[in-house]
Amino acid sequence: MIERVVVLLAVLAVSAVLGLWWQRRQGAVRTRHHHNPADDDGFDWLAHGVNLGAHRTFVQFSSAVCSPCRQTARVLTELASARPDVTHRELDVDDHHELVRDFGVLRTPTVLVLDATGHELARMSGAVDRAHALQALAAAPNAGDPQATEHTTTRSH
Amino acid sequence: MAYNTSPDEKATPPGIDARGPRVGAGITALLLAVVILLGQSTAALVLLAVVAASFAVGAVLGTERTWQSWVYRVAVRPRLGPATEREDPRPPRFAQSVGLVITGAGVALGVAGVAVAVPITAAIALVAAVLNAAFGLCLGCEMYLLLKRLAPEHRQGR
């Protein structure tokens, strides 16, 4: 019996650690570290139904089985309607397999933060609150600069 | 403007009280904890089968129709205020089917004589239930896209 209690406590401890780790990562703004089609100029976002904002665009990948997607959409929609130079577009992952694959989207919601030319500056995954969204809007244009990544790669060769 | 951003115009069903599925997950977690304490006995197998059957009801009819939801409505909700947050019923329903697959596998293996599968699958389901009840994390929902991307029909891409 004692060992069953120990197993139960271990399972609960694992759950707590997983939960806290997950909670901390929710909506955290990450600058990009892998290549994607939008690194090249003139990636056709409009073909995917995304109208680029004059300053920033939030492209949110959502699915039907995702509660935090609704909350994230509310936050971003509110922000976009308050700022004319920011747009928000929600895409269902089931309708955009190509984008999901090319941009390495692994969970929903994932929000790409694009600059005026459609380059990815940063991304957030998990439920996004207002503070994270504002932080993402302030993301420095150079933080995710593909050039910077390329220099590092060239040097290491 | 606000309506421009809705996801590709898919009909969204009316929301349910978001606290219901979480309380239900808490009740399920309690049962799964008892399954682990019962070890590899027949009692453990029977209780796991009860949990699996509850998941089946939730997966087919929705979380609102499970007995856990009934307990929530009768015993818990009257003590709480009205729902402040409503949620789409589809994510918790999907989570129920993930729970059904895990606990159903445990029951099937247990019946087939692999008794050790009972506490193992109960432990996996317990992690998911605790994460749901305590943190509001829907593990199955988090893995939905990952599972879809691993599915062979999407490998070639479109």
Side-chain angles (χ1 to χ4, degrees):
Chain A
M1 191 61 193
I2 287 291
E3 58 196 61
R4 290 178 197 167
V5 174
V6 170
V7 166
L8 177 57
L9 290 177
V11 169
L12 293 177
V14 166
S15 311
V17 169
L18 273 176
L20 290 172
W21 171 74
W22 172 81
Q23 216 166 39
R24 249 198 27 219
R25 286 178 63 240
Q26 286 305 296
V29 179
R30 290 174 292 143
T31 47
R32 191 178 52 71
H33 51 268
H34 58 86
H35 287 267
N36 63 54
D39 289 344
D40 305 323
D41 284 327
F43 179 76
D44 195 358
W45 279 108
L46 204 57
H48 299 283
V50 177
N51 271 309
L52 291 177
H55 176 56
R56 294 285 185 267
T57 303
F58 291 118
V59 177
Q60 177 184 345
F61 291 92
S62 295
S63 62
V65 296
C66 164
S67 295
C69 293
R70 310 294 116 76
Q71 182 203 327
T72 300
R74 273 202 301 275
V75 168
L76 298 181
T77 303
E78 197 188 296
L79 210 66
S81 48
R83 292 197 43 174
D85 57 347
V86 173
T87 61
H88 167 236
R89 172 74 182 166
E90 197 175 356
L91 304 174
D92 193 302
V93 290
D94 287 335
D95 301 330
H96 296 88
H97 294 141
E98 208 179 297
L99 284 182
V100 165
R101 191 194 54 213
D102 292 349
F103 285 83
V105 176
L106 295 175
R107 60 196 279 241
T108 56
T110 291
V111 179
L112 307 181
V113 186
L114 309 178
D115 68 9
T117 55
H119 295 130
E120 180 186 333
L121 292 178
R123 65 172 61 190
M124 302 171 275
S125 66
V128 171
D129 60 20
R130 203 178 150 77
H132 282 131
L134 290 174
Q135 191 191 335
L137 276 186
N142 288 327
D145 187 0
Q147 304 296 334
T149 329
E150 255 150 42
H151 286 315
T152 335
T153 344
T154 328
R155 232 176 279 144
S156 65
H157 275 287
Chain B
M1 174 70 212
Y3 293 98
N4 271 341
T5 57
S6 70
D8 303 348
E9 308 308 326
K10 273 183 188 160
T12 307
I16 57 173
D17 185 347
R19 299 166 303 186
R22 280 183 72 171
V23 171
I27 299 171
T28 305
L30 214 60
L31 293 183
L32 289 165
V34 175
V35 171
I36 291 177
L37 292 179
L38 289 172
Q40 305 183 16
S41 62
T42 311
L45 178 58
V46 170
L47 190 54
L48 188 64
V50 170
V51 173
S54 312
F55 277 137
V57 173
V60 175
L61 301 174
T63 43
E64 292 281 85
R65 311 279 277 276
T66 58
W67 63 268
Q68 290 99 324
S69 171
W70 178 83
V71 171
Y72 167 72
R73 281 197 305 273
V74 171
V76 184
R77 195 162 62 188
R79 290 151 210 263
L80 304 172
T84 48
E85 199 180 337
R86 305 198 77 79
E87 78 170 339
D88 192 318
R90 288 172 294 183
R93 192 171 156 185
F94 176 72
Q96 296 277 310
S97 52
V98 174
L100 173 61
V101 169
I102 296 169
T103 53
V107 172
L109 287 168
V111 168
V114 191
V116 72
V118 172
I120 289 176
T121 52
I124 297 170
L126 178 58
V127 170
V130 168
L131 288 175
N132 195 339
F135 296 93
L137 189 171
C138 170
L139 202 58
C141 307
E142 291 274 323
M143 290 169 63
Y144 172 77
L145 186 54
L146 219 51
L147 295 174
K148 277 216 95 125
R149 289 192 58 181
L150 292 173
E153 65 260 43
H154 299 309
R155 232 177 229 161
Q156 312 86 314
R158 281 195 306 138

